[in-house]
Amino acid sequence: MLHVPFKGLSPMLTELLADRIDLSIAPLPGLIGQQIESGAVRALGLARAERVPQLMSVPTFAESGVPGIEADAWSALFAPARTPAPVIERLYLTIATRCRRISVRATMAKQGIPAALKTTDGDRRHAPRRSGEMGRGDQGGQSVMD
């Protein structure tokens, strides 16, 4: 296989749909709605610890006999380093409140995104660790918000 880097999901998807590339490993939220459900692309395996409800017929790589392949996608919000702690806390509480809404959780679940919100201290510990693991190709479980 030849690795072909793309500058995002859209250019990769264009090439995949045009049959100019044979396969791709891509983030599930960008494909689960229109592309997979419409049949435009076929999901062969999930780089996750467990299957997602929307794609129960798609096995994980481990279930297919290829253990140890788990890709972790996470997002973080950043503020300038000197942002006062009370401002950070207010932002966190506002975001946490919004993310607990059923509509937000339902939208995330529809895209196959599990929810887990970490504290700002947790994010500071999580980001460098995950960045280092991604550089080594050692990926673990996914968490986004709760």
Side-chain angles (χ1 to χ4, degrees):
M1 249 191 298
L2 173 66
H3 175 251
V4 179
F6 287 94
K7 292 185 177 184
L9 181 62
S10 294
M12 179 282 301
L13 192 54
T14 298
E15 298 302 303
L16 186 64
L17 293 172
D19 285 333
R20 290 189 285 265
I21 59 174
D22 296 318
L23 61 97
S24 177
I25 296 176
L28 191 56
L31 297 172
I32 199 167
Q34 292 183 338
Q35 306 307 326
I36 294 173
E37 290 173 6
S38 73
V41 298
R42 180 177 167 205
L44 302 175
L46 297 170
R48 303 172 59 120
E50 56 193 40
R51 294 184 188 203
V52 295
Q54 300 83 344
L55 302 172
M56 289 307 291
S57 64
V58 180
T60 66
F61 282 114
E63 291 173 324
S64 296
V66 187
I69 299 178
E70 291 184 28
D72 180 353
W74 57 273
S75 298
L77 296 173
F78 297 92
R82 292 184 182 93
T83 303
V87 173
I88 298 295
E89 185 63 24
R90 183 172 179 194
L91 286 169
Y92 179 85
L93 291 173
T94 300
I95 293 164
T97 299
R98 301 296 190 273
C99 291
R100 287 187 181 99
R101 289 183 176 172
I102 293 172
S103 61
V104 171
R105 296 176 70 79
T107 298
M108 291 178 64
K110 186 175 181 181
Q111 295 177 29
I113 303 171
L117 180 64
K118 297 178 181 288
T119 65
T120 54
D121 287 340
D123 289 337
R124 280 193 282 274
R125 288 188 305 270
H126 182 73
R129 179 179 65 84
R130 299 305 301 147
S131 297
E133 289 172 357
M134 295 297 281
R136 291 191 317 268
D138 175 17
Q139 295 120 9
Q142 181 177 12
S143 63
V144 180
M145 66 181 116
D146 184 1

